[in-house]
Amino acid sequence: MRREIDADFLANLFDRIAILLEIKGENPFKVNAYRRAAENLRRETRDIVELYKEGKLTEIPGVGKAIAQKITEILENGKLEFYDKLTAEIPERLLSLYEVPEMGPKRIKLVWEKLGIDSVEKLEKAALEGTLRSLPGFGPKIESKILEGIMALKERRLVSRYPLGEGWDLSRIIVNRLGEFEGVVFVSPAGSLRRMKETIGDLDILVAAEKDATNKIIKAFTDLEIVEEVLLSGPTKTSIRFKGGLQGDLRIVEPSRWGTALQYFTGSQQHNISLREIALKKNLSLSEYALTDKINNKEILCSSEEEVYEKLGMSWIPPEIREGTIEINLALEGKLPRLVEVGDIEGDLQMHSTWSDGKRSIKEMAEKAYALGRSYILITDHSQGLGIAGGLSIGRLMDQWHEIDELNEIFEGKLVILKGAEVEVRTDGTLDYPDEVLERLDVVVAALHSNLRQDRGQLTERYIKAISHPLVHILAHPSGRLFGVREEANADWERIFKAAASSGTLLEINAHPSRLDLSEKKIRQAFNLGCKFVISTDAHDIHEQEYMFFGVAQARRAWLKRSDVANAQPLKSFLEQIKR
Ligand code: DGT
Ligand code: CA
Ligand code: CA
Ligand code: ZN
């Protein structure tokens, strides 16, 4: 996630430095210098990397020599020694206290030094116990204001949503740990996570177990080290908060009722409402416990979800499309399309190696791809302009081709390694390698990494120019969003998608959980305008190649079929399909 160093990233870093320096008690002029630099960086519309290369960083208002020096160090080394030293002295986690009203730098320093408080949780505890008021400058009034502030913060956290990837990792831990537990018959995520929505409000987990095991299972769950706090606990359900803030609901049902329960708690709410209407038309009532025949009031238990849909006269509906739109009618008619599946994916068309900012050699990446059953991969190290990510000069790129040729001989066609690059689209829409070089690549992936906050009109032209370039095959992570870091770029997407459709440029669905870019909505929009897609992992390490399923889920939520996804085809048809 942090591999994108741009103006926003630097501004956030300098803001953090300013707060840490304040806590340290550094002089206000120095603190303000960082704040001013951060503010101006946020306003800067020129590309930071360009400015750095031209030696013009000090042209940014508020950026003097010392700060320019720090930006240079970050761009060149990816880290800042000054920051490492500062946080060794003043821990980064103190920054969370800064969000609490009434907690300025002086008070943060005081509670940390006197009471060892370094988190909002500890602060809340001290305020509840009345120990805060004993500190100089606090008193009962401030103490209660701090408590109110923490309450408000918690409410805000409740309404904010978490990226799917975060919930996914937790759900894996829970499913694995509870799955081993005595008495557990089934365990599955439910809710929005099972539907693979790109963000989740909370994490729902469903367990099937016999009644006498429920107490122990609830205890095993609340005892997990990932659980921070138990909010609510009953005989068959519990609500907790995980470390990191996400909330979770666990429910336990009898194995004979698993099907109706899993169906109910997977939702969506809208899907469930429509399903209950269908049930009523058949004189059945549907709940999380059972289907009930309304005529003789007899329960019909469903131990599998398939049975629920079958008894309602419809085909089973994949969770990713249970949003209460057209899926129910299509399932009743037996006309649901077969959505693309992770097993359909033959090639992975974006990955990085140690040649640029990847962590593994091409050979290691290729071996992993082979183990995952791929039949081809495209190596897409960064192009020369992206200095911070170790972009390849033309000479280095050509050296890489030799290595790829040699590896292809070793793999003997069992896996084909294609030559590619993730070519920077410069601010003016031109590409970072000349045509003579692009022509020699098997597949060209174009990407925008910097200056995505350019003027909307200019940015749209920049996208269209890149997409319409006859040698560009794929547009990588089109919107540029990064969860928690950057929003989708503000551009005229209708025009961009039309340009992609008419030039035959494929749009990437980036499977990395920090991106999931395009969004489901934009995939639909692009699809309706005639675009085709690829799903790529953008892996920078071997295990990230496993993230393909995130991208596939995103495509499924947008109802894409195998034929809509160019890398869900064997190499030969993929190559025939890409424009030349
Ligand atoms: P989220 O957590 O906001 O990402 O979305 P969901 O879909 O996970 O919603 P959540 O956690 O409130 O509830 C999980 C599922 O349980 C939901 O998809 C459907 C079912 N459910 C929960 N409450 C209700 C309700 O009041 N009515 C109906 N029909 N279903 C509900
Ligand atoms: Ca949920
Ligand atoms: Ca829930
Ligand atoms: Zn990229």
Side-chain angles (χ1 to χ4, degrees):
M1 187 127 106
R2 276 289 124 87
R3 57 183 191 267
E4 315 273 330
I5 299 173
D6 60 9
D8 286 332
F9 174 88
L10 293 166
N12 290 341
L13 179 68
F14 290 142
D15 271 337
R16 291 204 303 277
I17 290 178
I19 301 169
L20 292 169
L21 287 175
E22 268 188 310
I23 297 175
K24 193 180 160 192
E26 195 53 84
N27 102 43
F29 291 110
K30 207 166 162 184
V31 172
N32 277 336
Y34 285 101
R35 288 239 158 84
R36 228 160 60 81
E39 237 168 70
N40 284 302
L41 278 165
R42 284 210 177 82
R43 272 197 223 116
E44 184 57 59
T45 55
R46 289 170 294 177
D47 181 14
I48 301 300
V49 179
E50 289 301 316
L51 288 173
Y52 150 74
K53 277 197 246 159
E54 293 162 11
K56 289 182 182 164
L57 284 173
T58 49
E59 278 185 10
I60 304 169
V63 174
K65 264 200 184 143
I67 290 186
Q69 188 55 46
K70 294 199 167 67
I71 298 178
T72 304
E73 187 186 331
I74 297 165
L75 292 178
E76 286 174 358
N77 307 336
K79 56 189 264 203
L80 182 62
E81 212 186 300
F82 170 76
Y83 191 70
D84 293 345
K85 276 192 186 153
L86 181 61
T87 50
E89 212 179 326
I90 312 287
E92 223 174 0
R93 53 184 190 279
L94 291 178
L95 292 171
S96 65
L97 295 175
Y98 202 77
E99 287 177 52
V100 179
E102 303 291 328
M103 289 300 289
K106 286 213 181 71
R107 289 200 175 125
I108 294 176
K109 186 169 195 225
L110 200 65
V111 299
W112 177 50
E113 285 180 350
K114 300 281 178 214
L115 302 173
I117 291 172
D118 59 1
S119 70
V120 176
E121 283 73 23
K122 287 184 192 165
L123 183 70
E124 184 182 18
K125 193 160 170 273
L128 284 171
E129 288 167 356
T131 41
L132 271 192
R133 63 178 70 177
S134 62
L135 292 178
F138 274 82
K141 219 173 178 173
I142 303 281
E143 203 178 60
S144 69
K145 273 194 183 163
I146 287 176
L147 268 180
E148 273 169 34
I150 294 176
M151 296 301 183
L153 262 184
K154 280 191 177 168
E155 267 167 40
R156 233 180 28 211
R157 268 192 215 160
L158 268 181
V159 296
S160 72
R161 300 181 65 82
Y162 289 74
L164 174 64
E166 213 170 294
W168 181 267
D169 291 342
L170 285 172
S171 81
R172 286 302 93 188
I173 297 173
I174 297 164
V175 167
N176 289 335
R177 298 281 288 277
L178 291 187
E180 293 167 355
F181 201 77
E182 208 190 308
V184 171
V185 182
F186 303 116
V187 50
S188 169
S192 50
L193 184 110
R194 182 162 182 245
R195 304 200 309 281
M196 299 295 276
K197 277 197 76 157
E198 52 194 45
T199 63
I200 58 168
D202 74 350
L203 177 56
D204 303 282
I205 302 281
L206 194 66
V207 167
E210 296 303 342
K211 273 213 172 91
D212 50 9
T214 56
N215 274 337
K216 278 191 183 163
I217 294 168
I218 287 190
K219 178 147 180 4
F221 176 67
T222 54
D223 280 351
L224 289 177
E225 68 287 347
I226 48 176
V227 172
E228 167 94 25
E229 188 187 352
V230 179
L231 304 172
L232 214 143
S233 222
T236 57
K237 65 178 183 185
T238 181
S239 289
I240 56 94
R241 191 159 52 81
F242 296 104
K243 290 180 176 148
L246 180 66
Q247 295 203 13
D249 287 332
L250 174 86
R251 287 185 187 76
I252 307 181
V253 300
E254 291 165 47
S256 59
R257 300 179 191 272
W258 175 252
T260 39
L262 183 60
Q263 193 292 311
Y264 179 89
F265 290 112
T266 297
S268 65
Q269 194 158 334
Q270 203 49 51
H271 176 89
N272 287 357
I273 290 169
S274 308
L275 215 59
R276 280 202 296 271
E277 283 167 8
I278 304 289
L280 287 176
K281 282 187 197 148
K282 295 187 180 295
N283 263 322
L284 295 165
S285 87
L286 174 63
S287 76
E288 65 254 56
Y289 304 106
L291 272 166
T292 307
D293 187 327
K294 286 172 71 95
I295 296 168
N296 55 20
N297 222 6
K298 259 183 113 167
E299 278 191 338
I300 308 163
L301 300 188
C302 301
S303 60
S304 78
E305 209 179 43
E306 284 78 1
E307 283 176 64
V308 180
Y309 287 97
E310 194 197 305
K311 296 224 158 72
L312 295 175
M314 58 212 291
S315 45
W316 180 82
I317 302 176
E320 294 95 329
I321 54 169
R322 295 187 195 169
E323 293 299 332
T325 59
I326 53 169
E327 78 277 13
I328 300 215
N329 281 336
L330 288 174
L332 281 169
E333 294 164 21
K335 284 187 182 154
L336 278 179
R338 178 193 177 283
L339 305 175
V340 61
E341 290 172 9
V342 76
D344 297 340
I345 302 295
E346 305 253 354
D348 190 345
L349 298 172
Q350 190 184 169
M351 64 178 67
H352 299 257
S353 74
T354 44
W355 283 81
S356 67
D357 60 350
K359 296 218 163 46
R360 303 294 185 132
S361 66
I362 298 177
K363 181 159 179 276
E364 287 173 294
M365 293 302 271
E367 279 164 352
K368 177 70 179 185
Y370 181 68
L372 288 172
R374 314 257 188 269
S375 58
Y376 55 97
I377 57 172
L378 178 68
I379 299 297
T380 55
D381 279 306
H382 292 284
S383 63
Q384 48 195 6
L386 208 61
I388 48 165
L392 302 188
S393 66
I394 295 173
R396 295 256 303 143
L397 181 68
M398 290 179 167
D399 290 344
Q400 187 185 63
W401 297 345
H402 293 295
E403 185 174 318
I404 292 177
D405 287 337
E406 281 170 23
L407 284 168
N408 273 327
E409 278 184 29
I410 296 171
F411 277 97
E412 293 178 317
K414 284 184 282 204
L415 175 89
V416 176
I417 307 171
L418 299 168
K419 294 166 188 157
E422 185 179 11
V423 185
E424 256 333 89
V425 177
R426 298 190 189 120
T427 305
D428 62 2
T430 58
L431 297 172
D432 197 25
Y433 286 131
D435 288 358
E436 307 83 75
V437 173
L438 298 179
E439 262 168 5
R440 297 179 60 186
L441 292 170
D442 295 314
V443 182
V444 174
V445 179
L448 285 70
H449 286 99
S450 58
N451 220 0
L452 284 160
R453 288 170 307 149
Q454 205 173 2
D455 162 85
R456 179 182 161 103
Q458 281 173 8
L459 182 61
T460 305
E461 291 312 320
R462 180 179 170 201
Y463 271 111
I464 291 177
K465 195 164 167 188
I467 283 172
S468 313
H469 192 296
L471 295 170
V472 168
H473 301 111
I474 298 170
L475 178 67
H477 42 70
S479 86
R481 76 162 165 188
L482 278 165
F483 286 116
V485 179
R486 195 160 60 210
E487 303 281 321
E488 294 181 331
N490 178 12
D492 186 340
W493 291 102
E494 182 166 338
R495 282 191 55 213
I496 293 171
F497 294 151
K498 279 181 179 159
S502 75
S503 66
T505 302
L506 301 163
L507 299 176
E508 179 184 273
I509 298 171
N510 191 291
H512 198 281
S514 67
R515 290 194 182 271
L516 291 179
D517 180 9
L518 292 170
S519 69
E520 169 195 344
K521 200 169 151 192
K522 285 206 163 56
I523 299 173
R524 272 328 284 172
Q525 186 188 8
F527 176 85
N528 289 334
L529 291 167
C531 293
K532 293 254 180 199
F533 304 86
V534 299
I535 307 173
S536 309
T537 63
D538 196 359
H540 285 64
D541 201 340
I542 47 176
H543 71 274
E544 291 183 345
Q545 290 185 43
E546 293 166 13
Y547 291 162
M548 186 60 86
F549 70 92
F550 281 121
V552 171
Q554 183 88 338
R556 287 166 63 84
R557 287 186 57 80
W559 291 68
L560 294 192
K561 303 174 296 298
R562 181 178 198 159
S563 55
D564 304 319
V565 178
N567 58 323
Q569 325 288 335
L571 179 59
K572 194 159 165 280
S573 23
F574 167 71
L575 290 174
E576 278 162 10
Q577 220 184 104
I578 62 174
K579 63 180 188 186
R580 263 296 156 198

